[in-house]
Amino acid sequence: MAFAVVAADVDAFNLLLEMKLKRRRERPNLPRTVTQLVAEDGSRVYVVGTAHFSDDSKRDVVKTIREVQPDVVVVELCQYRVSMLKMDERTLLREAKEVSLEKLQQAVRQNGLMSGLMQMLLLKVSAHITEQLGMAPGGEFREAFKEASKVPFCKFHLGDRPIPVTFKRAIAALSFWQKVKLAWGLCFLSDPISKDDVERCKQKDLLEQMMAEMIGEFPDLHRTIVSERDVYLTYMLRQAARRLELPRASDAEPRKCVPSVVVGVVGMGHVPGIEKNWSTDLNIQEIMTVPPPSISGRVSRVAVKAAFFGLLGYSLYWMGRRTMNLVLSLPAVQFCLQRVSEARPGR
């Protein structure tokens, strides 16, 4: 990791860097939700384990970034969810509560039928929690984005695997009946969230806990949605934790590199997996590939399409029939029909 700085700006850069290092504390006072990891080159990574619906998590992120003055901030988002960083809380709250036909169509266009349906079902879980708590998800990521912009020379990275890859691999890992069972459970999620749940949300990620309960009986689904993303997040954190090459006044000046400081903001359910994978050899090529659809997958897609269009056709028929009956029952229409019948030749 190198900074591109022209010679005339080296002094100004060094001055700002010196100010930043003075603000950076060697022994920072960190929240209990922070796990410190050290890279082979001495770079330090502070992983903040968060709950996606928690004000406490937002405060933990702000405190950590201000204490360590990082060179890079990595968040558990991908390019498909980056829009939540710049939207205001009110808009996000409204968007999170609404699971519309337009969103379903967009998800299907981006991810395919089965993956799009699964994404919408998971959004329904998030919308249910949002409705109950009155709090939009991802507040800790927005706080990380704002705080990172206040730290000199701090870069902001997206660290999560793209959603389409995750959902396509998840769908491929399930049998037809497992997909039906999972979809059924997600469709009929309506249990209220109590005040005790809200308090537990401050210590544990309520969204991830609910998802863990639902996917616990599907080990392959847990592997694709949780374990594989643990590997991907670990890889991205290690990529961010590279030594910094300081600017030089001239090419004759020797290169100087220093360890970097990174803050990672991830759901607390991913922290144990990141710790476990931190010192292992990682190859993300395998978890970035989407396996070809199985026979059961092709059958399920045909079945879902047939059911969808069948339901749509029946709905249109039912609505059309009901509308026609309603129209025919109107007095004005009855009168017109009677006049037409009386006016027929031969009567």
Side-chain angles (χ1 to χ4, degrees):
M1 186 186 301
F3 289 107
V5 182
V6 297
D9 295 331
V10 170
D11 290 340
F13 177 90
N14 286 333
L15 179 61
L16 286 172
L17 182 62
E18 184 179 350
M19 291 173 57
K20 173 180 176 176
L21 294 178
K22 283 182 179 179
R23 293 169 61 187
R24 177 181 291 172
R25 301 187 182 184
E26 287 298 323
R27 296 183 178 179
N29 180 23
L30 299 173
R32 292 181 301 170
T33 54
V34 176
T35 299
Q36 182 176 348
L37 302 169
V38 180
E40 292 181 355
D41 62 8
S43 296
R44 287 173 291 162
V45 178
Y46 299 93
V47 183
V48 188
T50 67
H52 297 316
F53 293 87
S54 170
D55 287 331
D56 286 353
S57 287
K58 292 192 233 178
R59 288 189 284 269
D60 288 351
V61 169
V62 171
K63 181 177 179 60
T64 302
I65 292 176
R66 290 179 179 177
E67 287 280 321
V68 306
Q69 294 291 295
D71 304 298
V72 185
V73 171
V74 181
V75 296
E76 184 199 330
L77 287 176
C78 70
Q79 65 266 35
Y80 293 90
R81 292 185 291 161
V82 72
S83 60
M84 72 162 54
L85 294 175
K86 297 182 180 180
M87 295 172 69
D88 63 88
E89 195 79 11
R90 181 179 299 177
T91 302
L92 275 166
L93 189 59
R94 185 180 67 250
E95 287 285 321
K97 288 180 180 179
E98 297 174 355
V99 181
S100 62
L101 179 61
E102 183 180 352
K103 287 184 179 180
L104 173 60
Q105 292 172 337
Q106 182 179 358
V108 170
R109 281 197 302 268
Q110 288 181 346
N111 307 320
L113 180 62
M114 294 302 298
S115 299
L117 288 174
M118 173 170 273
Q119 181 178 343
M120 290 307 299
L121 290 173
L122 295 180
L123 281 177
K124 184 177 183 294
V125 178
S126 179
H128 173 62
I129 300 175
T130 299
E131 186 73 37
Q132 295 286 316
L133 299 184
M135 182 185 300
E140 73 273 33
F141 302 138
R142 290 187 292 280
E143 290 297 329
F145 182 67
K146 287 189 288 187
E147 287 300 316
S149 67
K150 301 175 185 178
V151 179
F153 313 115
C154 181
K155 297 182 179 181
F156 189 85
H157 290 180
L158 303 176
D160 201 4
R161 183 172 65 179
I163 281 181
V165 176
T166 296
F167 283 120
K168 286 176 182 177
R169 286 183 62 84
I171 287 294
L174 296 177
S175 68
F176 173 73
W177 292 114
Q178 284 177 324
K179 293 170 188 174
V180 172
K181 190 173 182 180
L182 178 66
W184 182 267
L186 291 172
C187 281
F188 291 93
L189 176 73
S190 58
D191 294 338
I193 298 174
S194 66
K195 292 182 179 180
D196 291 337
D197 291 326
V198 177
E199 290 304 314
R200 282 193 296 116
C201 186
K202 296 176 181 179
Q203 277 90 44
K204 185 160 183 169
D205 191 327
L206 186 57
L207 176 60
E208 292 195 4
Q209 180 180 339
M210 293 179 69
M211 288 307 306
E213 291 173 356
M214 283 186 289
I215 69 177
E217 57 186 297
F218 308 125
D220 290 333
L221 193 61
H222 184 275
R223 172 176 53 80
T224 54
I225 291 183
V226 180
S227 301
E228 289 183 359
R229 288 172 60 226
D230 290 346
V231 172
Y232 192 91
L233 288 165
T234 306
Y235 177 84
M236 296 302 290
L237 287 169
R238 282 180 12 188
Q239 289 294 108
R242 293 180 172 180
R243 291 175 69 86
L244 299 173
E245 181 180 331
L246 300 181
R248 296 176 293 164
S250 66
D251 292 338
E253 186 177 331
R255 295 180 183 273
K256 182 180 180 182
C257 296
V258 296
S260 62
V261 172
V262 177
V263 169
V265 182
V266 304
M268 60 180 62
H270 292 290
V271 176
I274 292 172
E275 286 187 275
K276 176 184 174 182
N277 293 311
W278 185 251
S279 300
T280 61
D281 293 330
L282 301 177
N283 181 3
I284 65 167
Q285 295 303 317
E286 181 182 351
I287 63 172
M288 289 298 291
T289 58
V290 178
S294 62
I295 294 177
S296 64
R298 291 194 290 269
V299 170
S300 64
R301 282 203 304 274
V302 172
V304 169
K305 285 182 180 179
F308 174 78
F309 287 112
L311 182 62
L312 179 63
Y314 177 77
S315 299
L316 291 174
Y317 165 76
W318 182 80
M319 290 176 63
R321 184 176 177 181
R322 186 173 181 180
T323 302
M324 182 60 68
N325 290 335
L326 181 63
V327 170
L328 291 175
S329 67
L330 295 174
V333 176
Q334 291 285 335
F335 176 76
C336 290
L337 289 175
Q338 184 177 357
R339 293 297 298 271
V340 169
S341 176
E342 292 173 352
R344 282 181 182 175
R347 297 198 57 163

